[in-house]
Structures are given as structure tokens and as C-alpha cells.
Amino acid sequence: MEHAQEREPLLGGADPAAASENQFLKDASTAVRAGFIQKVYGILFAQLLVTAVVAYPFVGIHSVKVWARQQGFPLLVVCLVLNVAFLCSLSCCQDLARKVPTNYLLLFGFTATEGVLVGVICSVYTINSILFAVAATSFLVGGLSCYAMYTQSDFTTMGPYLFSAMIVLMIFGLFLAFFPIPFLQTVYCCIGILLFSFYLIYDTQLIMGKGELALGIDDYVLGALMLYVDIVQIFLYILQLLGDRS
């Protein structure tokens, strides 16, 4: 009984008794699915808003921008460590990701530290480049989300292939860290945009519950986290590919 009370009811006016009978979205009623999707995208919007607020001083305030470039490395390391810790807690511990308010606190910690990391990265680019990357990301994410919702193709079975591609991309990135060849960096960014575009389609279909695989009805925080990571990565790769450094 105590465990059941730790979980927050779904939005949308769904019957809690009916929701508890449907463990996975693909088996859930239309009302439960609608409530789950509403909640995921509401959390996602809040995450993007927090990220923008946290990142703004590193871009819009000159003194903070100069400090980040000259003395911001310790802050960057601390935020990176905390960011990975929050991410692992939410991704690897399902109980934490489903327990209210622990899941929201962990998600806020991840989002805030991600906002600092994004802000520090953006501090080396011009404001026009950042705005262009935001616009390009919005257009791409909107188009891919619509495609994921309405296509008849099932991308939820591609998980192992996408994970393998991500490992290869990480190894490629480590190689470029030691051998920064401009042409290969361009290729790296293009592959990153393509990979996380596929991830966005994959994660969107998991959240919609329309494929062979789907999230559970209590995994709304995990669903928002997955979409958020996809969007931020697409933005950063576009910025790195097309942005002008200030």
C-alpha cells in the first residue's frame, strides 16, 4: 500500500484502477495513453525552459561569459560528474525513476546541470549561431516527431542497433579529441545529428506505445528524459557543425 501511494496518478482523468491493470502503454486504454503523453511532453517543456534559463547567463551576460571561458573549467567538471550521476540514477534504477518526488528531484538536478553544460558550450559561439541552431533543432524535432507519430514503420525494434551506433560514435569522438581533423569533425557532427534523429523517432514511438515495444505507464519521467537528451544532443551537434565561434 505504501509503495502504491508513492506513485503519482496519470493526468487526463484516467481511472487509476484501469491504469493499474495496464502495465505497458501498448496494452493501455486510450485515456491512459493520452494522459501519459500529456505528462511526458509537459515535463519535457519544463526541462527545456529550465535549460534555457540556466544557460542564458553564459550567453547573455558578458561577465559570466568571460568567466566561463577563463575560469569555468572546475564548474564544468563538477556539473559533468553530477550530470552523469543523475542520469545513471534515473536510467538504471527504475524504482527511483518512478517514485515521487524523488524522480522529479533527480530530473531537476540532471536538467539544471545539463543547462550549465549547454551554457558553457554555447558561450564560445555567437548569439546568431545559437539562435539558428535553436530554430534548426525545433524544425527538425517537429518534423521527426510527426513522422514518428504517423508512420506505419516500427522503429522500436532498432534499440540494439542504435546503441551500437552510439558506442561507435563515442569512440569516434574520443579519436577526434586527440586528432582534431576538420573534415572528420564535420563527418562526426553529421553522424551525431543522424543518430540522435533516429533516437528521437525511436523514443517517440516508445512513448506513444504504438510499436512492438513501449514504456510502462509509470515511466513518464524516463520518457521525458529520453526525449530531452535527444533534443539537446541534436542541438549541440547542429551548433558544432554550423555555428560560428565568437
Side-chain angles (χ1 to χ4, degrees):
M1 179 64 69
E2 291 180 358
H3 183 65
Q5 290 176 347
E6 291 173 346
R7 296 189 179 184
E8 187 175 347
L10 235 45
L11 294 177
D15 182 9
S20 63
E21 296 174 357
N22 297 299
Q23 183 177 3
F24 297 104
L25 281 173
K26 63 181 180 180
D27 302 320
S29 66
T30 302
V32 171
R33 285 195 191 186
F36 180 87
I37 294 169
Q38 178 185 355
K39 196 162 197 176
V40 167
Y41 280 94
I43 295 171
L44 175 63
F45 176 79
Q47 284 184 275
L48 295 175
L49 183 60
V50 169
T51 302
V53 171
V54 173
Y56 172 77
F58 297 94
V59 177
I61 302 177
H62 181 71
S63 58
V64 177
K65 187 173 184 178
V66 172
W67 178 86
R69 291 183 179 183
Q70 298 178 353
Q71 306 177 37
F73 183 74
L75 175 64
L76 189 65
V77 173
V78 171
C79 287
L80 181 60
V81 172
L82 291 174
N83 186 264
V84 173
F86 288 131
L87 180 61
C88 291
S89 298
L90 287 168
S91 302
C92 302
C93 303
Q94 293 185 352
D95 289 340
L96 290 178
R98 295 172 178 173
K99 183 178 179 181
V100 179
T102 305
N103 52 359
Y104 285 116
L105 293 175
L106 290 173
L107 189 65
F108 177 79
F110 173 79
T111 305
T113 53
E114 187 74 14
V116 174
L117 296 175
V118 170
V120 172
I121 293 172
C122 289
S123 67
V124 302
Y125 290 91
T126 64
I127 187 64
N128 289 336
S129 296
I130 296 170
L131 293 176
F132 176 81
V134 169
T137 302
S138 301
F139 178 80
L140 182 60
V141 169
L144 292 173
S145 298
C146 291
Y147 174 77
M149 293 177 188
Y150 298 110
T151 183
Q152 298 301 315
S153 301
D154 182 9
F155 286 81
T156 62
T157 59
M158 295 179 60
Y161 306 105
L162 293 176
F163 181 76
S164 300
M166 185 172 64
I167 296 299
V168 173
L169 184 67
M170 291 175 59
I171 296 173
F172 191 12
L174 290 174
F175 172 81
L176 290 178
F178 293 99
F179 305 98
I181 303 173
F183 172 73
L184 292 182
Q185 288 179 331
T186 300
V187 173
Y188 170 74
C189 292
C190 292
I191 295 175
I193 295 171
L194 180 63
L195 174 60
F196 281 97
S197 294
F198 275 109
Y199 256 118
L200 183 68
I201 298 173
Y202 168 81
D203 292 335
T204 300
Q205 290 194 339
L206 285 180
I207 291 166
M208 295 296 165
K210 60 175 293 183
E212 180 177 337
L213 302 178
L215 295 178
I217 59 174
D218 293 319
D219 293 328
Y220 47 87
V221 165
L222 182 60
L225 175 66
M226 293 189 303
L227 291 180
Y228 174 79
V229 170
D230 296 337
I231 293 171
V232 170
Q233 290 301 313
I234 290 173
F235 165 75
L236 292 177
Y237 280 115
I238 290 177
L239 183 63
Q240 185 177 347
L241 177 64
L242 302 175
D244 296 322
R245 292 178 179 265
S246 58

